Amino acid sequence: MLSRLFRMHGLFVASHPWEVIVGTVTITICMMSMNMFTGNNQICGWNFECPKIEEEILSSDIIILTITRCFAILYIYFQFQNLRQLGSKYMLGIAGLFTIFSSFVFSTVVIHFLDKELTGLNEALPFFLLLIDLSKASALAKFALSSNCQDEVRENIARGMAILGPTFTLDALVECLVIGVGTMSGVRQLEIMCCFGCMSVLANYFVFMTFFPACVSLVLELSRESREGRPIWQLGHFARVLEEEEDNKPNPVTQRVKVIMSLGLVLVHAHSRWIAEPASEGSTLEIPKSASGLDESIPRRIDPEVPLWQFYLSRMGSMDIEQVITLGLALFLAIKYIFFEQTETESTLSLKNPMSSSLMHTKNTDCCRNNIGTTRLQSNCPVGDEFNSKENTDEVIKPIESFVPHSINRTSKFVLGDFTPPSSSSSGTPEELDTELLLEPRPIEECLSILKNTEKGPKSLTDAEIILLVNAKYIPAYKLENMMETPERGVFIRRQLLAPKLPEPTALHLLPFRDYDYSLVIGSCCENVIGYVPVPVGVAGPLCLNGKEFQVPMATTEGCLVASTNRGCRAISLGGGARSCVLADGMTRGPVVRLPTACDAAEVKAWLESSDGFQIMKEMFDSTSRFARLQKLQIALAGRNLYIRFQSKTGDAMGMNMLSKGTEKALSRLQEEFPAMQILAVSGNYCTDKKSAAINWIEGRGKSVVCEAVIPAKVVRETLKTSTYSLIEVNINKNLVGSAMAGCLGGYNAHAANIVTAVYIACGQDPAQNVGSSNCITLMESTGICNEDLYISCTMPSIEVGTVGGGTNLRPQQSCLQMLGVQGASKETPGENACQLAEIICGTVMAGELSLMAALAAGHLVKSHMTHNRSKLNLQDLPGSCTKKAA
């Protein structure tokens, strides 16, 4: 119950850092402002001159006091060093400094608010510093730093509060009760000092439970890159933080002793304050009254006759020797800490069991706009250049990756330090990985039990341990995305498994894998994923088609293609636009079956061609889908083999899976009619899919589309820079005669496959189907009153497209489909979006044909490609290169 309350408190503090910090400061300011209603706001030695106590001060007392002050300063110095070992020289140190300052101010304000006067501030400061324990900050910071995103920061701070909060609370209570005993001594100065000590402990507890975790959460929040909310820092110092939670849990015996001790001290305080105090109540009240009449016992305010700066400068110049020693030591350690100490890589991972890490070195390599570090462990590998660049020493939170020999281990965590960040789409190879502790993977049996544990699971295992389980065949490599807590981690681990097996371990450097929704890929688009390939997407348009304008996305790496298609779109628009229509719509699947004899095969063929046989097959086929509707069967016989070409509408899907499912069900019914029939394959290449085939060219497959346009002679001359006669001549001799001479099947065009493939990749279609989909015949002839205008048409009988399923489920591809207004299934008419996409493709192909043929007719093809489709950067970098820009 208590841990749950502290967990809720930690989650609230980490989730609202600004509110907590502002609230703490506001409370302090409010209490300071309320001091005007109290009588004593005097701190002797600073702004008041207090009466001297007539007693001899021994030299030994001065020496002891000076040593105490020096010990207090050294104690705080080493506390800051421990904080710095968490990875940052300043970040957490500044947070700790603010915490100490806030604790001191808050304690002083509370003392004044309670109407107490602090007459020994010089003696109080060392006492206060010795009470500060920054190890609490170190312990709590470890939980925050073992996260890989801001949400995990909050959860881990809450978990740290749940584990450490009760211990901190009990420790603060015991300290207050022990120090509070001094307030019953009867010695006024000691009572004030102990009261100040108690308030310091409580204030320190309050600030560390509110101010410090809020500061840590805020620092990590402000240190992330605003890039879709993803952090740019990764922490590698605390791979075993979750294991250390058990070590951080308090010893039950110690806790029991503290509780018993606290109860005893509470009884002592109760007896002294509520039982023994009334007996002496009369005498205690007389002392202030008698003392109030003595002017010499009242602190006198100092009113300097010189300017304040000169007054305080003179006061500082008149410091005693012990004050000079103390101040000198403090300045020396501050200068040493800030300017002369190098960042240490050895980190204290536990308050009880410190662990050290080996010093790493970094090798910087430019990769696009990011630097990728190469590291080697000093203890096991030869060390090259040390990482000591001055320009890379800015204190920011940056990502690092981990590297463990023989099993690459990347633990995505926060770190504060001076390291160069890898790319946001880092490769996952050893060369990009940065510093981390050399941690041995746990035994396979232990890792296996953690993996099977529903509460822990793979998120409690390091990458090295996951790789160990994969190599031991406990985790199938192809199931990594499904078995990890996130698919992206599964992809990253597969890259680590693959990198050492490649001819070049850095081969995956430039292949991105981050920031991708793999949930849409798994089980649908790809297997054994190691990343994705970004392809440039251009836009051609507007394409005026059937009275509508379309901006057509094209994904390609061929220069001039988009520009040329865009020019063709402009020419069509200037000519009044194009028209198109769908001639046929039917996807096909052609299985092959075998009968005992050729005559048996002929009998089956005759039954399928009969109306009764077709109706039986149609009923079985149509029952498998609400969109699949069998249109016709085309049967061919070769010996005793029978090839049956099923043709069906498939709605807005491309439909191959739909056809396969329906075909399989229909064949099972056919086998009931002819038990001797043997199904050899559900696809017998009579479809025909992804192969150049005359049957697709003649019978059509998918969407059969024709598109036409008239381009005025003026547009041909001014936009296309040629003449109608030249275009017709080139089209006849190139696209018709030339293709016939080459024996082309459906290749009576200039470059239809260019446009089809570019649109297919952009819109999530199957790029391999450009083989059949690019079947196109381009015809040109003169028209108009003077026969100077150009009539152009493109007929494409086998465009295989869909707007649902497959790659159309991916977000970027959906974006491109949305550009065309055809994303998803049509709500009004099933199949309308897919047909619209086929018409847009045919119209874009016609625009590309028009522009390319014009460039050929005008002799501009080579010139334009030399200008726009040739990489000159690599050539110019070669020694002795004299590459010149094309005119």
Side-chain angles (χ1 to χ4, degrees):
M1 179 64 183
L2 194 60
S3 296
R4 186 176 179 182
L5 290 175
F6 277 100
R7 182 182 183 89
M8 293 172 61
H9 164 74
L11 185 60
F12 174 80
V13 171
S15 302
H16 305 84
W18 280 112
E19 291 86 344
V20 172
I21 294 173
V22 172
T24 305
V25 174
T26 302
I27 291 174
T28 306
I29 294 175
C30 288
M31 298 188 72
M32 291 178 67
S33 64
M34 292 178 69
N35 281 343
M36 64 181 65
F37 301 108
T38 64
N40 295 319
N41 57 353
Q42 310 158 3
I43 302 180
C44 296
W46 281 27
N47 62 337
F48 274 77
E49 189 176 52
C50 297
K52 302 282 185 179
I53 298 176
E54 296 295 336
E55 62 175 325
E56 184 179 357
I57 301 177
L58 301 177
S59 300
S60 58
D61 294 338
I62 297 176
I63 294 173
I64 292 173
L65 184 58
T66 303
I67 293 174
T68 304
R69 290 172 177 169
C70 292
F71 270 120
I73 293 173
L74 289 172
Y75 174 73
I76 289 296
Y77 171 75
F78 286 114
Q79 292 271 24
F80 270 80
Q81 273 199 328
N82 290 335
L83 272 182
R84 191 192 65 187
Q85 288 176 353
L86 290 179
S88 173
K89 195 173 183 181
Y90 300 112
M91 288 291 185
L92 295 179
I94 291 174
L97 185 62
F98 274 112
T99 302
I100 292 176
F101 174 75
S102 301
S103 298
F104 175 73
V105 171
F106 191 80
S107 301
T108 307
V109 169
V110 170
I111 290 291
H112 289 168
F113 186 72
L114 295 178
D115 205 16
K116 303 287 185 181
E117 67 177 43
L118 187 60
T119 58
L121 183 64
N122 293 335
E123 290 75 13
L125 277 175
F127 187 59
F128 170 77
L129 293 178
L130 289 172
L131 290 174
I132 292 294
D133 184 11
L134 292 182
S135 62
K136 297 176 182 179
S138 175
L140 189 59
K142 290 178 188 177
F143 287 90
L145 296 178
S146 62
S147 314
N148 60 5
C149 68
Q150 191 62 27
D151 290 336
E152 287 190 21
V153 171
R154 303 185 186 104
E155 287 296 329
N156 288 340
I157 289 178
R159 184 168 50 192
M161 279 293 186
I163 294 174
L164 304 174
T167 307
F168 290 173
T169 304
L170 185 57
D171 289 344
L173 179 62
V174 171
E175 288 181 26
C176 286
L177 291 174
V178 172
I179 298 172
V181 174
T183 61
M184 301 180 294
S185 63
V187 181
R188 183 175 179 279
Q189 186 67 16
L190 180 59
E191 287 182 355
I192 293 177
M193 294 293 294
C194 290
C195 181
F196 181 79
C198 290
M199 296 309 304
S200 298
V201 171
L202 291 177
N204 186 31
Y205 169 78
F206 170 74
V207 173
F208 270 109
M209 293 293 285
T210 57
F211 190 85
F212 183 78
C215 279
V216 172
S217 178
L218 186 61
V219 165
L220 297 180
E221 171 73 19
L222 296 178
S223 301
R224 64 187 176 91
E225 186 179 51
S226 298
R227 183 174 159 275
E228 296 183 4
R230 296 186 61 84
I232 65 169
W233 20 250
Q234 311 262 335
L235 303 179
H237 282 289
F238 305 104
R240 298 293 187 185
V241 166
L242 297 179
E243 294 179 4
E244 291 173 23
E245 292 180 11
E246 297 298 327
D247 296 334
N248 287 330
K249 290 181 179 178
N251 188 328
V253 177
T254 305
Q255 297 297 94
R256 195 173 296 114
V257 170
K258 289 180 180 180
V259 171
I260 295 173
M261 180 179 174
S262 300
L263 292 176
L265 289 171
V266 168
L267 292 176
V268 171
H269 280 270
H271 179 271
S272 301
R273 298 182 185 279
W274 290 298
I275 298 178
E277 189 171 337
S280 58
E281 185 175 350
S283 60
T284 55
L285 292 174
E286 295 175 359
I287 296 174
K289 292 179 180 179
S290 61
S292 61
L294 300 176
D295 294 339
E296 61 273 9
S297 64
I298 300 176
R300 181 174 56 86
R301 184 176 185 87
I302 302 172
D303 295 320
E305 299 178 356
V306 294
L308 286 179
W309 66 269
Q310 187 176 347
F311 168 74
Y312 283 113
L313 191 61
S314 63
R315 300 275 294 187
M316 291 178 62
S318 61
M319 290 189 299
D320 298 332
I321 184 65
E322 66 271 15
Q323 295 174 334
V324 173
I325 293 174
T326 306
L327 183 60
L329 178 63
L331 290 175
F332 169 75
L333 293 178
I335 293 173
K336 179 176 180 291
Y337 178 86
I338 296 173
F339 297 107
F340 294 99
E341 289 193 359
Q342 298 296 324
T343 302
E344 299 176 3
T345 57
E346 293 186 355
S347 175
T348 304
L349 293 185
S350 175
L351 300 179
K352 298 178 181 179
N353 302 315
M355 297 175 61
S356 61
S357 63
S358 302
L359 184 64
M360 313 287 184
H361 79 276
T362 307
K363 175 182 177 183
N364 294 328
T365 306
D366 289 337
C367 170
C368 299
R369 62 180 180 85
N370 298 287
N371 293 329
I372 297 176
T374 303
T375 64
R376 293 294 183 270
L377 291 164
Q378 193 179 42
S379 57
N380 296 333
C381 307
V383 179
D385 298 332
E386 294 184 357
F387 184 83
N388 56 5
S389 174
K390 295 298 181 183
E391 51 270 14
N392 290 329
T393 57
D394 295 335
E395 293 297 331
V396 294
I397 303 178
K398 301 177 181 178
I400 68 170
E401 313 289 344
S402 61
F403 172 69
V404 177
H406 310 297
S407 60
I408 302 166
N409 174 24
R410 178 184 184 274
T411 308
S412 182
K413 296 187 174 83
F414 296 95
V415 79
L416 295 171
D418 308 328
F419 300 105
T420 302
S423 169
S424 61
S425 56
S426 53
S427 67
T429 57
E431 283 68 20
E432 75 164 353
L433 306 177
D434 234 328
T435 59
E436 183 169 287
L437 297 174
L438 178 58
L439 301 173
E440 290 296 329
R442 288 167 283 192
I444 290 182
E445 295 75 15
E446 183 180 353
C447 295
L448 196 58
S449 65
I450 294 174
L451 179 67
K452 294 179 179 179
N453 190 313
T454 55
E455 293 183 358
K456 295 182 179 179
K459 64 182 179 181
S460 300
L461 296 173
T462 64
D463 290 353
E465 291 165 346
I466 295 292
I467 290 173
L468 198 64
L469 292 175
V470 172
N471 291 332
K473 308 300 182 184
Y474 289 106
I475 298 179
Y478 66 89
K479 286 187 177 180
L480 279 170
E481 292 92 341
N482 292 322
M483 297 190 69
M484 295 301 102
E485 66 274 17
T486 61
E488 185 173 299
R489 188 187 179 201
V491 174
F492 178 78
I493 292 174
R494 182 178 292 112
R495 292 164 69 99
Q496 296 184 56
L497 285 165
L498 178 64
K501 302 176 184 178
L502 300 177
E504 185 61 46
T506 61
L508 298 179
H509 257 326
L510 302 181
L511 180 66
F513 74 97
R514 297 195 185 281
D515 306 325
Y516 199 83
D517 190 355
Y518 291 104
S519 63
L520 300 175
V521 177
I522 300 170
S524 176
C525 297
C526 189
E527 300 76 35
N528 291 332
V529 181
I530 59 173
Y532 57 90
V533 178
V535 180
V537 178
V539 61
L543 171 66
C544 292
L545 183 65
N546 295 330
K548 299 180 182 178
E549 289 189 350
F550 299 94
Q551 300 288 344
V552 185
M554 300 175 65
T556 181
T557 56
E558 180 183 347
C560 287
L561 179 60
V562 177
S564 176
T565 308
N566 192 69
R567 184 177 72 153
C569 290
R570 175 173 172 75
I572 292 173
S573 297
L574 293 175
R579 295 188 305 163
S580 68
C581 65
V582 177
L583 305 175
D585 179 11
M587 182 51 64
T588 63
R589 173 59 83 192
V592 55
V593 298
R594 177 176 292 173
L595 279 298
T597 65
C599 292
D600 292 337
E603 183 182 351
V604 174
K605 181 177 184 292
W607 185 85
L608 289 172
E609 290 175 342
S610 68
S611 59
D612 293 340
F614 175 80
Q615 192 61 34
I616 293 173
M617 296 294 282
K618 177 177 173 59
E619 289 178 2
M620 297 302 296
F621 186 96
D622 293 353
S623 67
T624 61
S625 171
R626 59 195 178 102
F627 295 110
R629 296 294 178 265
L630 185 63
Q631 296 172 321
K632 68 176 181 179
L633 294 173
Q634 187 172 352
I635 302 103
L637 190 146
R640 60 193 185 109
N641 289 347
L642 200 65
Y643 296 86
I644 310 169
R645 193 172 191 252
F646 290 77
Q647 181 173 322
S648 166
K649 284 190 174 183
T650 57
D652 285 302
M654 185 269 290
M656 286 299 299
N657 292 333
M658 195 182 299
L659 261 293
S660 299
K661 183 180 178 182
T663 299
E664 193 174 55
K665 186 72 176 291
L667 289 178
S668 65
R669 178 66 180 84
L670 183 62
Q671 205 166 27
E672 293 177 3
E673 291 287 333
F674 302 94
M677 186 187 76
Q678 176 187 1
I679 302 174
L680 295 181
V682 75
S683 176
N685 274 4
Y686 194 55
C687 315
T688 297
D689 186 40
K690 300 172 185 175
K691 290 165 284 292
S692 180
I695 193 170
N696 291 346
W697 174 245
I698 297 170
E699 297 291 336
R701 187 170 192 258
K703 275 69 175 172
S704 299
V705 184
V706 63
C707 189
E708 63 181 354
V710 174
I711 313 299
K714 181 180 179 182
V715 175
V716 172
R717 288 192 303 271
E718 295 180 359
T719 301
L720 299 178
K721 310 298 182 184
T722 185
S723 65
T724 299
Y725 175 80
S726 299
L727 279 171
I728 295 172
E729 281 294 306
V730 173
N731 185 69
I732 292 173
N733 292 282
K734 169 184 166 62
N735 288 344
L736 303 182
V737 178
S739 296
M741 292 293 294
C744 289
L745 279 177
Y748 301 96
N749 57 81
H751 69 148
N754 252 341
I755 286 85
V756 170
T757 305
V759 177
Y760 270 28
I761 294 174
C763 295
Q765 309 302 307
D766 188 345
Q769 289 188 321
N770 82 87
V771 176
S773 300
S774 299
N775 285 338
C776 174
I777 181 169
T778 301
L779 297 176
M780 295 184 185
E781 56 186 278
S782 60
T783 187
I785 300 176
C786 302
N787 279 338
E788 291 182 354
D789 299 337
L790 176 70
Y791 172 84
I792 179 173
S793 68
C794 285
T795 306
M796 303 180 71
S798 52
I799 301 178
E800 301 153 337
V801 293
T803 58
V804 295
T808 64
N809 293 329
L810 302 178
R811 302 285 167 75
Q813 284 80 349
Q814 286 183 348
S815 242
C816 292
L817 289 171
Q818 288 173 0
M819 289 177 60
L820 300 172
V822 296
Q823 193 265 321
S826 173
K827 297 180 180 179
E828 291 80 15
T829 308
E832 183 178 2
N833 283 351
C835 290
Q836 179 70 75
L837 178 60
E839 291 184 75
I840 292 171
I841 290 172
C842 187
T844 309
V845 166
M846 188 173 69
E849 292 284 287
L850 186 61
S851 183
L852 176 59
M853 295 299 290
L856 288 169
H860 296 162
L861 179 68
V862 175
K863 179 180 178 181
S864 62
H865 274 259
M866 291 297 291
T867 303
H868 301 291
N869 190 27
R870 191 176 183 187
S871 175
K872 295 174 281 294
L873 294 177
N874 294 339
L875 295 176
Q876 290 175 346
D877 290 340
L878 294 175
S881 174
C882 332
T883 306
K884 296 181 180 179
K885 293 184 179 180

